[in-house]
Structure formats: C-alpha cells, structure tokens
Amino acid sequence: MTLTFDPSTRLVIGGRSVESVSGATFATLNPATGQELAKVSEGSAEDMDRAVAAARDAFDNGPWGRMSPAERRGLLKRFALLVEANADELAMLESLEAGKPIFDTSTIDLPETVACLMWHAELADKVYDQASPSGPGVVSTIVREPIGVVGAVLPWNYPLMMAAWKIGPALAAGNTMVLKPAEQTSLSTIRIGELATEAGLPDGVLNVVPGFGETAGQALGLHTDVDCVGFTGSTEVGRMFLRYSADSNLKRVLLECGGKNPMVVMSDAEDLDKVAAAACESIFWNAGQNCSSNSRLLLHESVADDVLARIDEAMHEWIVGDPLDPETRVGAIIESAHMDKILGNIQKAKDEGATLRAGGGRTRVDSGGWFVEPTIFTEVSRDMTVAREEVFGPVLSVSTFAHADEGIAMANDTDYGLHASVFTSNVRSAHLAARMLKAGTVSINTYSEGDMSTPFGGYGLSGFGGRDNGVHAHEQYTETKTIWLDLA
Ligand code: NAD
C-alpha cells in the first residue's frame, strides 16, 4: 500500500478554499528530515484585503452577529467536536511540520486545543453584563460587545494550541477572525479553517491566510478594517504590532511574547526528585521552544549538588529522536537557522566561561533534520548571555545563591516576566516568594503554569495589553459600552 500525503495548502476565505491572488507558493519543510512536505499558497497584502473583507462582511451582515450567545455556543461546540474527531490527522500534521514528538501532539497539543475551544464555547452564554449604581433617576447598563474583526498572528511552537487560545475567546465573544499562521507551520491551521466551515460556522467567520510575516503579517497589522490583533511570538515582532497599530487605526493589540523564566529552588525544597523532573520537563519539553520554559535554574547552594545529580539521572528520559516514534520526547528544532542560533548561544556560553555539564552539540545529523542535544550549563553568572537572552532551545543555565533574598533578586534580574517557579516546603516563604517574583504566573512546587481557567501572559517584555485563557481572555476580545437612560 502506498501512503499519500496530500494536505490542504490553500487559503480559507469566506468559507471556501482558494488560491492566493498571485498564485505564488512557498515550501513548508519537515524539520526532522529537512525535506519539503508541501507547497503552500502564499498570502499577500491583497489576500489579506480579501480575508478582512470577508470577516467584515460576516461581522456586519452575516448571521453570526445576530445569533444569540447560546446559538454561538452550539456552533462552537460542534467545531470543537469536529477538531476532536480529526485529532489524529491534526496531531500528525503538527508533528510533521513542527518537528514535535507525536507523543506530545497526540496527548497534549490536540487534547488541549479541543479543551480550549470547548471551554470558551461554553463561556459564550455565561458572561453577564452589569448595571451601574447610578441612582434611581437612571437605568445605566454596562454591556460587553464584540470588537469586530480580530486578526491573530501565530507562532510555530504550538501552532494549534496558540491558534485555539485566540479562536476560542474571540469567536465566543462574537467577533470574526483572520488567522495568519507562522510560515513554518501552516498546514494544521489551514485544516482548522476548513473544519470551521464543515462545522457550520457561517462563511467569513474564520479565515486563514498563510504567508510570511513581512508581507501577510504586516498587512494584517496595518489594516484599517481590523479592530484588534492578538499576537504570539517574539518581543521584537510584538513591538512592530504596536507600531502598526499606531500607524493605522489604533487597533487593540494583545501581545504574548518571550520569556527568560526562573525556577528557584530554596534550601527547604522537599522533594528533590520532583525538582529534577520539573527542571527537565520545563526546559526539554518541545525541545525548549517554549515561551514559559524555566531556562534559568537557580539553586540554593545547600541543595545544588544533590539536585544536579538527580537531573543527570532524569535527563535519560529525554530521548532525542524521530518525532513520529512514540518513544521520542525531544523532537526537532523548527528550522536550520534556529538550530544555528541555538548552537551559537551554546558556543557563546562556553566562551563566556560557563561550564558545560551535558549535551552541547547537534545530533541525528544523518537524518537530514535539525536536532540539538539537551544541554546544561552550570556556574552561570548573572551577566552571561545564556542567563539573560532567550535561547528558545533545550539549553538550561544553572546558577546558585546563598540566601533566599538573593535567589529572588536573581530571578527578577530580567527584562521579561512571563512565568516563574519556586520550590519550597515552607508555606510562608512560598507566598512571600510568589508576591515578590515579577511574573504573570508563579507556580509553587511545580513547573506547570495553569490551566484553561487561569490567565496567561507576562510582565515587562513578555507581553502587552492582556492575557490568554480564562474569562480574562474572553473579556479582552470585547468592547465596553455604557448605555445611559435618563428616567426623569
Ligand atoms: P516571530 O515573532 O518570529 O513570529 C511570530 C509570528 O509573527 C509569525 O506568524 C510571523 O510570520 C509573524 N511575523 C514575523 N515578522 C513579522 C513582521 N515583520 N510583521 C508582522 N508579522 C511578522 O516568533 P516565532 O519565531 O514564531 O516564535 C518564537 C517566539 O514566540 C519566542 O520569543 C517565544 O518566547 C514566543 N512565544 C510566546 C508565547 C506566549 O504565550 N507568551 C507562546 C509561544 C511563543
């Protein structure tokens, strides 16, 4: 039997699969082999105009805006169930295009994508408006309305999960959308667009325009008929979206950007095996290409040797391999340029005097793909580049501290502030640390940074304007309107 791989590669506009105006395509590659997977239609500014026009028409004139929230809930649940029914195909697309282990895409990415869509679908008819305490002479209500056309510009590291984090709340709140997937990972997002049509979402409610950042992404950011852009990606590009907004129509901009997240292990941390397992999972999951990974491990000097010895053991579980092998825990790096950047950071850490304890090189070279060994540096000082800049790869930097206050100060010595973990058995110091750490999420005695009900986003260079997940995400995709009725 010959297996054929024939993914959908075209834009989804107005409920239909269409070619780009120019007919141009670009290659999408398999990071595990370096081979071309497919040619994807390349969206341009003109295609963005078409998609935004379809989304605007669906918002202003289509049935979506006239539906009751309960009807929207029903359609969005049907959409979530259809994604679930196609989870195997979508997990495979994610693995092939992003180099992610099939174990992760099938047990984490897809279930969480479905859970997110379902959670927000359920919220559609459960958020109440308000009445203000303005006295008996008036009826004053404060209502939440959809903003209008929402653009979503997405990263490649969790293509579907990050898409769902935007689609779920934005559509549940009644907006229409245009998605721009990262150019490295278009296929699963295109498929999601098709499934939205199949699920019965009205034409134009969810449009997908694959293409490059400098063209399609910029066109979306500058579009004067887009009311809001939700972006996940690098801080550098996030800044551009603020400029695009300032230079166009002051659209709302919501940014989820990078991180240089600390894991602080106090002298009284109870279960050092758990610490070691969490440290490895945090930095090696998704080959470290994770904005909330704890890339800085800060150890109290009294437990440092013990924790490091346990990490040496725990690392054996993090097997680098073919992403389609169910045993693989560390897949490929998204592209060769990013692999080179990670290897460059490793070299720089060595040059700056950090001690290489594990890994440090490229691996599986014969596969033709881009793989980096799980890597650990110890004796990292605060001013070294590996302690300050986001590597976005499987590279852990380990430093020690002598007093709890010093550990917290080191943790906060960053321009980012997405996520921080602290391990301690003392409830009081756990709470104190949680209050003192500058981060959008502080996890205590775990690496996990929350669930669908908890807002996710960062301080400082880690984000701007809002939070993903939870009721907070739903509200940020709405406008607040006051309706004032004078009874006199
Ligand atoms: P990126 O910023 O290069 O790309 C993100 C998106 O922006 C892509 O769709 C890309 O095409 C688009 N883009 C690129 N240049 C553009 C431009 N000039 N104008 C408009 N759009 C443009 O980031 P990436 O490499 O995809 O992802 C890695 C970064 O994302 C890391 O810094 C990581 O920390 C961050 N990230 C953050 C979160 C979070 O929730 N905070 C989640 C995942 C990733």
Side-chain angles (χ1 to χ4, degrees), residues 19-71:
E19 289 290 352
S20 60
V21 172
S22 69
T25 60
F26 63 97
T28 187
L29 306 180
N30 180 344
T33 63
Q35 302 293 311
E36 181 176 313
L37 278 170
K39 289 207 189 309
V40 176
S41 287
E42 183 184 336
S44 61
E46 235 179 318
D47 294 300
M48 236 0 133
D49 284 343
R50 291 156 78 202
V52 172
R56 171 59 58 198
D57 188 48
F59 185 77
D60 287 346
N61 308 313
W64 192 242
R66 290 190 290 276
M67 266 179 208
S68 69
E71 285 175 294

Side-chain angles (χ1 to χ4, degrees), residues 242-284:
L242 291 172
R243 291 193 196 106
Y244 296 153
S245 171
D247 290 344
S248 56
N249 59 342
L250 291 187
K251 60 178 66 63
R252 186 174 301 176
V253 176
L254 308 165
L255 304 178
E256 300 292 348
C257 302
K260 191 70 194 173
N261 312 293
M263 177 180 283
V264 187
V265 183
M266 299 296 187
S267 58
D268 58 3
E270 218 163 43
D271 182 346
L272 298 188
D273 284 328
K274 193 175 169 194
V275 171
C280 288
E281 183 179 354
S282 169
I283 190 66
F284 301 139

Side-chain angles (χ1 to χ4, degrees), residues 69 72-74 76-77 116-127 172:
R72 270 205 313 269
R73 181 195 64 199
L76 290 172
K77 283 177 76 171
C116 173
L117 294 174
M118 198 55 102
W119 196 90
H120 283 285
E122 279 294 352
L123 198 65
D125 63 346
K126 292 173 188 64
V127 181

Side-chain angles (χ1 to χ4, degrees), residues 359-397:
R362 184 178 176 184
T363 183
R364 292 178 53 79
V365 179
D366 292 348
S367 66
W370 310 304
F371 295 85
V372 173
E373 294 174 309
T375 297
I376 297 183
F377 281 102
T378 57
E379 291 166 86
V380 174
S381 62
R382 288 162 83 155
D383 53 337
M384 287 181 189
T385 310
V386 73
R388 309 208 69 80
E389 289 181 12
E390 189 182 37
V391 177
F392 222 57
V395 181
L396 181 66
S397 84

Side-chain angles (χ1 to χ4, degrees), residues 63-118:
W64 192 242
R66 290 190 290 276
M67 266 179 208
S68 69
E71 285 175 294
R72 270 205 313 269
R73 181 195 64 199
L75 275 182
L76 290 172
K77 283 177 76 171
R78 202 192 299 168
F79 174 42
L81 290 173
L82 199 55
V83 172
E84 188 171 41
N86 288 273
D88 290 349
E89 177 201 345
L90 291 164
M92 181 62 82
L93 286 177
E94 295 268 273
S95 282
L96 287 172
E97 221 185 4
K100 296 162 73 82
I102 191 77
F103 175 80
D104 289 350
T105 56
S106 56
T107 65
I108 302 171
D109 294 66
L110 261 298
E112 293 210 3
T113 295
V114 173
C116 173
L117 294 174
M118 198 55 102

